[in-house]
Amino acid sequence: MIVNFAERAHNHNWELDPVTRSLLDTDFYKLLMLQFIWKNYPKTQVQFAVYNRSSAPVDTFPIEEMTAQLDHARSRRFRRSEIVWLAGNTFYGRRGIFEPAFLQWLEKDFRLSDYEVSQKEGHFHLSFNGLWAETTMWELYSLSIINELRTRANLKRLSEFGLDILYATAKTKLWNKIERLREVPNLSVADFGTRRRHSFLWQEYVVEAMAANLGSGFIGTSNAFLAHKHDLEAIGTNAHEIPMVLAALAGNDDEALRASQYKVLELWQQTYSGELRIMLPDTFGTTQFFKNAPEWIADWTGQRIDSQDPYIAGDEYIEWLKAHGRDPREKLIIASDALDVDEIIGLQAYFGGTLAAGTKVSDFHSGADFQDRRKWTQGRRIRCSAGWGTLLTNDFRGCGPSGNGGFDPISLISKVSMVEGRPAVKLSDNYAKTLGPPREVERYRRVFGTAGMSNTPVIT
């Protein structure tokens, strides 16, 4: 698909250009989690709230534009063709991953909850209250709406020539990244960039460019709509949301709180198997998770690394697997935190083979470096995949004709904030990603500890 982004942005004058074209325009793991919620917690009440972890402002567009987009998303329903795809397509080698009763509910009865939005002291405040099954899907829709409206507001400040420079520079940057990844042995990279994308059309362009130029090294996209439209593998498993909710439901019982992180996995494996058994151990700290994990956790396929240094996390997981009598070479790690091409190449060098003495991962810049036997010998220590997000679908840093131009990506998140009237907490391996009221955070740290946690600036 060849899109003249500059011309389209310059001529943009229609009343409502929907950001959410389809309810399938979300991360695939939201659908997997939605089925889990529908099956196990259909009556649980929660609140989601949007947070800006960056210093850059979000309110660069009128609040009326946001409400129009939110109302449009709320009016959408799943199309029959989308339900047929979910019912009949093969996901992770398995057909029928979604139960017929769930798909019937999704087509006939699913509705997005109402929302509350206000603007105070120059900042938007956006939240969603209701049944968990009616609020959870707002996460991706709200984030993609806000990010694209911010993009559109910045585009309006540029002339047609400036727009042409912006997109020409961004395309060149994207192409240079793709070129560096060519010929990287056993490359496994997926698009994880829906929530903070520059725009829907740009994400689609990026996904098509990756698919056309990286061959089997591009394993798919987390965006279910794009996977459906372009016949790609839909990628995704689960997120912090579920352990956050189950922890809050444990109430004041410290032992139940500590055990809740494993209860999540017990329930998950009752519904999903194989490659969908990817744990996310960092919600309350990865180190304590593995230290206290039941033996059966070692049978899971792998883990996603989202807030810890992926080199350290991967090494610790390998040693933990060996200590539990499992072969790490058969397991999988998925790195997904603020990745860019340097980290993707470095991780493949580190876990996909053996570095020669004196060689560092920073010595690997492209696929050609893997051919130099003085640097590297192939032979994986663990399967390694990369979930490439913001810096794949929204890397417009320095692309504007006059420098920044406000196109730098921001760290915008939508997370569970309340569960049945109790505050929800996320500790993370990174103190900068901690969420929750200070008093509750203090209690969670007393229960789970802080081993292995560090303070790392949040970039994207």
Side-chain angles (χ1 to χ4, degrees), residues 131-147:
L131 291 173
W132 192 6
E134 295 176 349
T135 55
T136 181
M137 297 293 281
W138 270 122
E139 178 188 2
L140 269 291
Y141 304 141
S142 63
L143 294 179
S144 59
I145 284 170
I146 294 171
N147 276 293

Side-chain angles (χ1 to χ4, degrees), residues 217-231:
F218 180 64
I219 62 172
T221 173
S222 67
N223 187 291
F225 181 82
L226 293 177
H228 172 40
K229 181 178 179 181
H230 296 285
D231 195 23

Side-chain angles (χ1 to χ4, degrees), residues 295 298 319-328:
E295 179 67 23
E319 293 307 311
W320 183 83
L321 288 167
K322 289 179 179 178
H324 287 77
R326 306 310 196 272
D327 185 354

Side-chain angles (χ1 to χ4, degrees), residues 50-237:
V50 175
Y51 304 90
N52 181 10
R53 297 187 300 203
S54 305
S55 58
V58 174
D59 57 331
T60 56
F61 51 85
I63 194 171
E64 293 78 13
E65 291 186 13
M66 186 195 298
T67 57
Q69 293 288 347
L70 293 170
D71 288 341
H72 173 79
R74 194 162 180 253
S75 72
R76 303 296 295 173
R77 300 293 180 264
F78 281 96
R79 302 184 183 103
R80 181 61 185 161
S81 61
E82 296 168 342
I83 299 296
V84 169
W85 178 71
L86 291 172
N89 196 55
T90 299
F91 300 106
Y92 289 94
R94 178 185 163 194
R95 195 181 299 273
I97 201 168
F98 295 105
E99 298 177 13
F102 167 73
L103 292 175
Q104 183 178 13
W105 172 82
L106 196 64
E107 182 179 15
K108 304 295 185 183
D109 299 320
F110 171 75
R111 299 291 185 272
L112 288 169
S113 73
D114 203 352
Y115 63 88
E116 296 181 13
V117 63
S118 61
Q119 191 170 18
K120 300 176 183 178
E121 299 178 353
H123 297 282
F124 290 136
H125 297 269
L126 179 60
S127 61
F128 310 94
N129 296 274
L131 291 173
W132 192 6
E134 295 176 349
T135 55
T136 181
M137 297 293 281
W138 270 122
E139 178 188 2
L140 269 291
Y141 304 141
S142 63
L143 294 179
S144 59
I145 284 170
I146 294 171
N147 276 293
E148 184 154 350
L149 290 180
R150 181 174 177 264
T151 291
R152 293 179 185 180
N154 286 321
L155 293 176
K156 290 176 183 177
R157 300 188 180 98
L158 298 180
S159 66
E160 186 172 8
F161 181 74
L163 291 166
D164 201 40
I165 295 297
L166 175 78
Y167 284 107
T169 307
K171 287 181 178 181
T172 301
K173 179 183 281 192
L174 172 64
W175 180 248
N176 288 337
K177 291 182 180 185
I178 291 174
E179 278 291 284
R180 290 180 60 192
L181 291 174
R182 285 178 184 268
E183 309 305 326
V184 172
N186 300 313
L187 179 69
S188 177
V189 60
D191 157 46
F192 274 22
T194 298
R195 68 190 57 225
R196 300 193 189 109
R197 66 193 181 195
H198 174 81
S199 68
F200 168 82
L201 288 176
W202 181 256
Q203 182 185 18
E204 184 172 34
Y205 175 81
V206 167
V207 165
E208 289 189 280
M210 297 277 282
N213 292 284
L214 289 181
S216 61
F218 180 64
I219 62 172
T221 173
S222 67
N223 187 291
F225 181 82
L226 293 177
H228 172 40
K229 181 178 179 181
H230 296 285
D231 195 23
L232 297 169
E233 188 71 31
I235 304 294
T237 54

